Amino acid sequence: MSVESTNRPGDVQGPGTSFSRGIRPSRRTVLGLGSIAMAGLVGCTKATTPEELPTAAPPSTSIVKNLEIRFGTPAAPAILDPALASDNESFRVTRQIFESLISVDPDTGAPTPGLATEWKISKDGLTYTFTLRDGVSFHDGTEFNADAVVHNFERWANLPQDLGGKVGQAFESVFHHTEVQPAGDTGIAQDSQAATQSMLRSPNVLGGLKLTKDSGKDSAPKDKFETVTASYYDSCRAVDSHTFVLKLTKPITGLIDALTLPGFGIASPSALRKYKADEAKKDASGSLSTGFSRHPVGTGPYLFDEAEAESVTVVANEDYWRHSTQIGRATFAVLRDPSSRLQSLRRQKIAAYDMVTVGELRELVREGQQILQRDPFSILYLGMNQSNPLLADRKIRQAVAHAVNRQELIQKFFISGTKEARSFVPPSLGVPDGQTYFGYDVPKAKSLLKSSSYDGEPIPFTYPLNVTRAYLPMPERIYAEISAQLTAVGFNIKPYPIDWEDGYMDNVVNGRRPGFHLLGWNGGYRDPDNFIGTLFGTTSPEFGYDAPKVRAKIVKARSMPNGDPRATTYQQIGEQLAKDLPALPLAYPISAVAADDSVMHYPTSPTLDEPFDRVRLAT
């Protein structure tokens, strides 16, 4: 890839510099447990040219094709439109069907050519020019070209309000398109979808920022009624059939990494129109769906085949541009309980499953099953919603932090190698922890609670049922342990369990019952903004936390070039979060896949980028 600047946003720095490609963690393939030794899978091989993404094994005419695999998953996908999805089980399936402009090297995690073969970045970091891959077609026969890419970007930027603007969605999380800020304020983004929609309809355009004015009294200060979009997205266009240009209003240092997100999977424009992708319906359970999400069409190695109540099946794309695939048919079977996944593997009903928990780990090792761990790239936290008047008291939040024994949680409920979290950014991203740390200290917790405003009132604690996440492997047991630790220092805990598929995320993220809650974040790309910006870049009802100075620093860091000053800025943000305690970081969990001996290679990825064309089975 060529660039037009030498110190651009997102530029790769030398070895040892924060965020350099050299500090990307190596992929682990085998999990060690005490003195038990296990045989691992072979590693991936690197591509020989920059035009071709590395694969699990070099394409070979000798491989046996059209094999089938059943893979156990802990939950059903929410929706099979990557632009609308925000859950990893949806992305597990859409990664098979769709591809992004930029792919991920399975060995290093570095961005590599995908549907774009190369890209150039202007010196000011505001214009990205992509050369697109020739000879690629969508599954429905529609040609992949620059017009198709423009169609997708314009769709993402103009999703109806009831579909778009969700912080978990890729376009919003990267471009912050529905955020607004007061006119003249370049540092503080305020979350207001309604104001943004009004702003986007306004014909006024000043300096590339769309402007809206309130119709207040003429005598009022002018800037009292003005807001501007905080969006980083300016426009896009097709120069010719295979040249796509993306323009920003402000630099985004991690943009190339961010474009590897599965939410940027390019969809067939013909299918988007045919299946009315932006007309949403809710089913009996309240889940969102569209015609397109029931008929997803991309360019990826697999075509959507069918979706049933407890499974989704994809079949090989015989015209795939990259290489032929060994797996001809892959079925993702929903097995919510860890024991049901283990039993299905034992009975050979599935060849592999994700989200191994410590509960079945020793049995898997004893039986000689393969256990393939991922490098840690997620954060588990205990949310403390300050919309609850009790948790608005800083002393109470500090008492909570001292009451929770994170090491005990890790030893009991997480795979060996999981580390205690002292910030919201995984260590592999090179951001040093701050100085503030509230360690496990029961006497200190009791003292703080006694001197606070707390008088034994019940505090709600919301936790999920019937789910296993990369960051939360055993939610019921983790809740019970934390609840007991809080009760031991004097808290009165009122439990509120909610089934994951009955709207747990919606309840927590929208702060429907402010109090304590368990949640986390699995990183999608290698930049601190993917963690800090996603969780705390806007005011959120999840935390009831309003910190303009923190948001201003997040906005500043997002556009800073990689290097020590940027790392220091993120460290300062982390230090302020540690003092404010909107949530208590608990652990950087390690997740793992279990597989029987029919699986010769499975491409574990810290970001869960695991397309099945890289899987190899014994024949």
Side-chain angles (χ1 to χ4, degrees):
M1 286 62 65
S2 57
V3 296
E4 297 175 355
S5 60
T6 59
N7 191 22
R8 59 178 173 81
D11 213 9
V12 179
Q13 304 296 315
T17 304
S18 298
F19 317 128
S20 70
R21 303 306 178 206
I23 66 168
R24 294 180 184 276
S26 61
R27 271 193 318 127
R28 305 177 189 180
T29 54
V30 180
L31 171 64
L33 181 65
S35 60
I36 300 172
M38 295 180 292
L41 299 186
V42 296
C44 297
T45 58
K46 293 185 178 179
T48 56
T49 72
E51 301 296 326
E52 184 176 350
L53 180 68
T55 59
S60 170
T61 56
S62 64
I63 65 170
V64 177
K65 299 180 182 180
N66 297 320
L67 300 181
E68 296 189 16
I69 186 172
R70 285 183 64 86
F71 186 90
T73 67
I79 189 167
L80 296 184
D81 181 344
L84 305 182
S86 59
D87 65 296
N88 285 325
E89 293 310 322
S90 293
F91 291 139
R92 188 193 302 279
V93 178
T94 63
R95 286 182 194 271
Q96 319 303 325
I97 300 169
F98 298 90
E99 297 174 296
S100 305
L101 294 180
I102 313 297
S103 293
V104 179
D105 186 306
D107 288 318
T108 67
T112 59
L115 291 176
T117 59
E118 62 179 11
W119 48 90
K120 296 180 180 179
I121 307 171
S122 62
K123 291 181 179 180
D124 60 7
L126 299 180
T127 303
Y128 287 67
T129 303
F130 297 88
T131 300
L132 305 182
R133 195 171 295 278
D134 195 9
V136 178
S137 295
F138 292 97
H139 301 155
D140 61 1
T142 302
E143 180 187 2
F144 167 75
N145 55 28
D147 287 336
V149 179
V150 168
H151 186 98
N152 277 263
F153 269 82
E154 290 184 345
R155 180 202 174 210
W156 300 333
N158 294 285
L159 282 170
Q161 190 169 345
D162 60 339
L163 292 180
K166 310 297 191 300
V167 72
Q169 293 173 353
F171 191 82
E172 180 63 22
S173 70
V174 173
F175 292 100
H176 305 272
H177 194 55
T178 66
E179 296 172 25
V180 296
Q181 64 190 36
D185 181 353
T186 60
I188 303 172
Q190 297 184 358
D191 194 10
S192 173
Q193 289 190 19
T196 301
Q197 293 303 317
S198 172
M199 181 178 54
L200 293 176
R201 289 193 294 268
S202 172
N204 294 323
V205 179
L206 298 178
L209 295 178
K210 302 176 182 64
L211 189 66
T212 184
K213 296 182 181 180
D214 189 278
S215 57
K217 296 180 180 179
D218 292 339
S219 59
K222 180 180 179 182
D223 60 1
K224 180 177 180 180
F225 301 108
E226 287 188 355
T227 56
V228 295
T229 178
S231 176
Y232 289 73
Y233 174 76
D234 183 292
S235 61
C236 67
R237 64 188 177 94
V239 176
D240 54 44
S241 63
H242 288 86
T243 307
F244 168 74
V245 174
L246 173 64
K247 300 198 72 174
L248 308 181
T249 62
K250 294 166 285 186
I252 302 175
T253 298
L255 182 59
I256 291 299
D257 284 89
L259 290 177
T260 67
L261 287 171
F264 288 115
I266 305 296
S268 163
S270 299
L272 290 171
R273 288 188 290 263
K274 178 179 178 179
Y275 296 114
K276 301 179 180 179
D278 299 337
E279 295 182 14
K281 295 180 180 179
K282 288 189 176 181
D283 60 23
S285 66
S287 298
L288 190 71
S289 69
T290 67
F292 180 76
S293 70
R294 296 187 294 273
H295 301 86
V297 179
T299 62
Y302 291 92
L303 291 72
F304 173 76
D305 184 44
E306 62 179 357
E308 298 180 348
E310 297 297 300
S311 68
V312 176
T313 300
V314 296
V315 295
N317 176 11
E318 297 297 336
D319 298 318
Y320 186 44
W321 60 268
R322 196 189 300 278
H323 55 245
S324 60
T325 62
Q326 187 193 40
I327 307 295
R329 183 180 182 87
T331 298
F332 300 91
V334 180
L335 300 165
R336 292 175 177 81
D337 184 71
S339 63
S340 68
R341 297 194 288 274
L342 175 60
Q343 292 302 321
S344 294
L345 185 70
R346 284 171 168 166
R347 296 169 183 171
Q348 298 184 326
K349 292 183 177 181
I350 58 175
Y353 72 85
D354 203 356
M355 302 305 160
V356 173
T357 70
V358 70
E360 71 258 25
L361 187 59
R362 288 190 178 275
E363 293 184 62
L364 288 164
V365 174
R366 186 169 55 248
E367 295 169 7
Q369 307 283 14
Q370 299 180 90
I371 303 172
L372 310 158
Q373 82 175 75
R374 302 179 180 96
D375 286 308
F377 202 58
S378 62
I379 176 74
L380 170 66
Y381 56 81
L382 174 65
M384 295 184 276
N385 194 321
Q386 295 174 43
S387 297
N388 184 313
L390 295 171
L391 294 179
D393 186 332
R394 187 187 296 262
K395 285 186 177 180
I396 294 177
R397 300 197 305 277
Q398 290 176 349
V400 170
H402 282 304
V404 176
N405 188 338
R406 286 174 272 192
Q407 287 298 331
E408 186 171 350
L409 286 171
I410 289 168
Q411 290 169 10
K412 286 184 175 181
F413 306 120
F414 293 88
I415 290 175
S416 177
T418 295
K419 302 297 184 184
E420 176 183 343
R422 297 194 178 189
S423 78
F424 294 93
V425 179
S428 63
L429 292 181
V431 177
D433 292 335
Q435 298 298 313
T436 299
Y437 172 66
F438 300 99
Y440 179 57
D441 188 334
V442 170
K444 184 68 173 177
K446 289 181 176 180
S447 175
L448 282 164
L449 204 57
K450 185 176 181 179
S451 65
S452 74
S453 60
Y454 188 66
D455 193 28
E457 300 92 334
I459 300 179
F461 193 148
T462 307
Y463 65 96
L465 302 175
N466 300 317
V467 71
T468 307
R469 312 300 284 179
Y471 52 77
L472 187 57
M474 307 173 78
E476 296 94 335
R477 295 179 64 182
I478 292 171
Y479 154 76
E481 181 66 30
I482 294 176
S483 179
Q485 292 176 2
L486 294 177
T487 300
V489 302
F491 282 100
N492 180 1
I493 300 299
K494 187 172 184 178
Y496 280 99
I498 302 176
D499 193 285
W500 183 267
E501 294 187 8
D502 286 343
Y504 179 79
M505 279 280 291
D506 181 66
N507 274 271
V508 167
V509 171
N510 290 295
R512 302 199 192 285
R513 188 177 287 110
F516 301 123
H517 64 268
L518 288 172
L519 204 58
W521 180 256
N522 198 91
Y525 63 96
R526 301 199 56 77
D527 191 273
D529 190 55
N530 185 225
F531 288 85
I532 295 292
T534 299
L535 293 174
F536 304 109
T538 62
T539 54
S540 167
E542 179 186 352
F543 303 111
Y545 174 60
D546 187 14
K549 290 183 179 180
V550 169
R551 296 200 306 274
K553 282 195 172 184
I554 291 173
V555 170
K556 176 184 176 182
R558 187 175 291 140
S559 295
M560 292 176 70
N562 278 333
D564 290 338
R566 190 175 192 235
T568 299
T569 301
Y570 277 114
Q571 182 183 25
Q572 293 169 351
I573 295 168
E575 174 68 12
Q576 191 60 54
L577 291 170
K579 291 178 178 178
D580 292 347
L581 281 173
L584 178 66
L586 298 174
Y588 301 120
I590 287 176
S591 63
V593 172
D596 65 21
D597 58 8
S598 71
V599 180
M600 301 301 295
H601 177 75
Y602 183 86
T604 53
S605 163
T607 60
L608 308 182
D609 179 42
E610 297 168 355
F612 273 40
D613 63 310
R614 299 177 191 162
V615 174
R616 290 293 178 263
L617 300 181
T619 56

